[in-house]
């Protein structure tokens, strides 16, 4: 808070104030002690006393204001009304993380029991068919969100998630496992689009960043739970069936929870349910936000139309055209190269680091802003990869080399989870227009799944040909380029409503956005 500048002249003081009574008592006492002093001689004493009183009052006022502000921040519960809805949506990401890790340990038992043990292509297919399903799901999710809204789409999407988990758990052949994994991937592909769109549209502007990070936390918790459960598969060859049966439980909870969740006020406005939209805004954001929020939402809809009839080609029109997986999937391999032979230990370290970074992101997202977190995250990832490359490529002491390599891997995961992971999932719907948000997110996630598949397909082959160090150095170079991109091209969205962001980016709103 800027300090108040006191003027040199005397500010008149009211006789009714307590501080003025104190001043006049002091002044009269001085006058009694100095009866021969002239008025001009007594005036400086009066001016001095006045300034002292004013400074004291100003300091007290500033301190009180600061304390009040701190107390308000400490006990600010404005995020609480939206939190249950965000929590239910984040259960989708818990499922995502669970299915990422569910085959990490049990794949050997699955292959042995179903008769394809020792065939790396089929073992890889059981894992990668999940990604193929996710790609198709993410492509089709935009149209579903446009027609049904996020809440109903969540509930419809639980069908392939529950059915796929049960089919996989009961499988007695390779084809049944592949079908189950494909259905699960289909559901996950839809949900990875739904969650960031839903959270960005129901969360209050002030807390959108922090609440948006819960999707990343859900993913981390899902991975950690599946890894812990996977430890039991080492002693029980049929435990993988139990793990897959358990995967259906969050699907049922998600479908039930969404029955009590709200629809996005933006979607409600687009389909003409204005009273319902106002009710949601009142309950989640506060009654004082209703008029301004509805005015902005309606203004955007009048300008762009609703997105119920938006086209995919619009993504190429104005204003819509404005490596972590290698480390995650193959952490066991790279940790073995630096002396850690237990894949369970390696995976658990990676999962816990990812979770710790996500918790930090919750605190930092709405305080530091998206752009700063992205830049810092990518720079940290670059340093981590270069550190790993140096440790594995230079002639260091073996123990030192192993320790630096481990630090580099864990630092990469941690810095990714602070910024690059949660921010990208949040800022894409923030920078998307109200009309095409679902389709833009679907397209973005489909690209993600394609890159995901390519990394999984070629990573081991590239490592075998060039070595771990050079591959990780290329990850570091990409991270540096990403930091530069974030610095020059990413728009800060902290503290701005989705409508304010769209107005500032859309040339049709250029005057109003400024």
């Amino acid at each position: 808070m800027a300090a108040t500048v006191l003027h040199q002249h005397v500010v008149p003081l009211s006789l009714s104030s307590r501080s003025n009574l104190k001043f006049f008592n002091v002044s009269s006492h001085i006058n009694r002690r100095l009866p021969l002093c002239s008025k001009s001689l007594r005036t400086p004493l009066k001016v001095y006393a006045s300034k002292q009183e004013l400074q004291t009052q100003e300091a007290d006022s500033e301190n009180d204001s600061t304390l009040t502000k701190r107390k308000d921040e400490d006990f600010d519960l404005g995020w609480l009304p939206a939190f249950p809805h965000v929590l239910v949506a984040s259960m989708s990401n818990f499922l995502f993380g669970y299915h990422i890790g569910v085959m990490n340990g049990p794949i050997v038992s699955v292959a042995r029991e179903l008769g394809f043990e020792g065939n790396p292509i089929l073992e890889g297919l059981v894992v990668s068919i999940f990604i193929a399903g996710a790609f198709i799901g993410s492509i089709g999710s935009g149209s579903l969100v446009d027609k049904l809204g996020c809440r109903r789409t969540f509930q419809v999407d639980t069908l392939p998630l529950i059915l796929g988990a049960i089919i996989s758990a009961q499988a007695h052949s390779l084809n049944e496992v592949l079908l189950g994994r494909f259905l699960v991937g289909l559901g996950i592909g839809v949900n990875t689009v739904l969650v960031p769109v839903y959270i960005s549209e129901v969360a209050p502007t002030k807390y959108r960043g922090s609440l948006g990070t819960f999707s990343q936390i859900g993913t981390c918790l899902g991975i950690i739970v599946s890894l812990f459960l996977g430890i039991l598969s080492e002693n029980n060859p049929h435990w993988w069936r139990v793990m897959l049966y358990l995967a259906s439980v969050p699907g049922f909870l998600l479908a039930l929870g969404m029955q009590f969740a709200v629809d996005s006020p933006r979607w409600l406005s687009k389909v003409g349910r204005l009273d319902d939209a106002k009710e949601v805004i009142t309950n989640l954001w506060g009654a004082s936000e209703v008029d301004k929020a509805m005015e902005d939402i309606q203004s955007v809809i009048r300008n762009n139309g609703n997105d119920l009839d938006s086209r995919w080609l619009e993504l190429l029109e104005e204003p819509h055209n404005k490596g972590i997986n290698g480390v995650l999937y193959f952490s066991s391999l790279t940790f073995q190269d630096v002396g850690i032979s237990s894949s369970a230990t390696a995976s658990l370290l990676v999962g816990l680091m990812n979770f710790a970074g996500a918790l930090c992101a919750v605190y930092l997202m709405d305080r530091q802003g998206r752009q700063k977190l992205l830049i810092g995250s990518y720079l940290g990832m670059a340093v981590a990869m270069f550190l790993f490359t140096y440790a594995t490529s230079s002639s260091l002491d073996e123990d030192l080399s192993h320790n630096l390599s481990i630090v580099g891997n864990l630092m990469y995961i941690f810095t990714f989870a602070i910024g690059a992971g949660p921010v990208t999932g949040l800022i894409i719907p923030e920078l998307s227009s109200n009309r095409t948000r679902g389709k833009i997110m679907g397209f973005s996630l489909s690209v993600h799944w394609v890159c995901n598949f390519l990394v999984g397909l070629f990573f081991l082959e590239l490592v075998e040909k060039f070595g771990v160090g050079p591959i990780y150095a290329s990850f570091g170079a990409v991270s540096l380029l990403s930091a530069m991109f974030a610095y020059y091209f990413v728009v800060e969205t902290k503290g701005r409503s989705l409508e304010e962001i769209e107005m500032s980016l859309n040339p049709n709103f250029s005057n109003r956005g400024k």
Side-chain angles (χ1 to χ4, degrees), residues 126 143 155 166 180 242 252 344 356 367 409 425 446 462 471 509:
V126 170
S143 297
Q155 292 182 311
I166 294 175
V242 177
F252 285 109
R367 289 172 172 82
N409 266 278
S446 66
L462 292 173
I471 299 303
F509 283 109

Side-chain angles (χ1 to χ4, degrees), residues 203-260:
T205 298
K206 183 179 178 181
Y207 312 99
R208 192 172 60 239
S210 298
L211 291 175
T213 310
F214 277 89
S215 61
Q216 179 79 2
I217 290 177
T219 302
C220 296
L221 288 176
I223 293 173
I224 291 172
V225 169
S226 65
L227 292 176
F228 271 118
L229 292 176
I231 295 175
L232 299 177
S233 66
E234 297 176 0
N235 301 319
N236 185 346
H238 304 294
W239 180 250
W240 63 273
R241 294 186 183 275
V242 177
M243 293 180 65
L244 290 172
Y245 275 125
L246 289 175
S248 65
V249 175
F252 285 109
L253 295 177
L254 178 62
L256 179 63
M258 275 297 156
Q259 188 63 32
F260 301 96

Side-chain angles (χ1 to χ4, degrees), residues 3 25 27 160 196 203 246 252 279 284 291 308 320 349 382 388 401 488:
N25 289 336
S27 179
L246 289 175
F252 285 109
E279 183 179 358
L284 299 192
D291 292 338
L308 303 181
H320 310 306
L349 283 172
F388 182 92
S401 175
Y488 287 106

Side-chain angles (χ1 to χ4, degrees), residues 79 94 111 189 203 228 309 318 363 388 433 493:
W79 52 270
F94 177 87
F228 271 118
D309 57 353
E318 292 287 351
Y363 179 80
F388 182 92
S433 73
T493 58

Side-chain angles (χ1 to χ4, degrees), residues 333-334 337 388-389 392 459 462-464 466-473:
L333 169 72
T334 54
D337 288 344
F388 182 92
T389 303
T392 56
F459 183 83
L462 292 173
V463 167
E464 183 178 350
F466 299 105
V468 174
I471 299 303
Y472 276 29

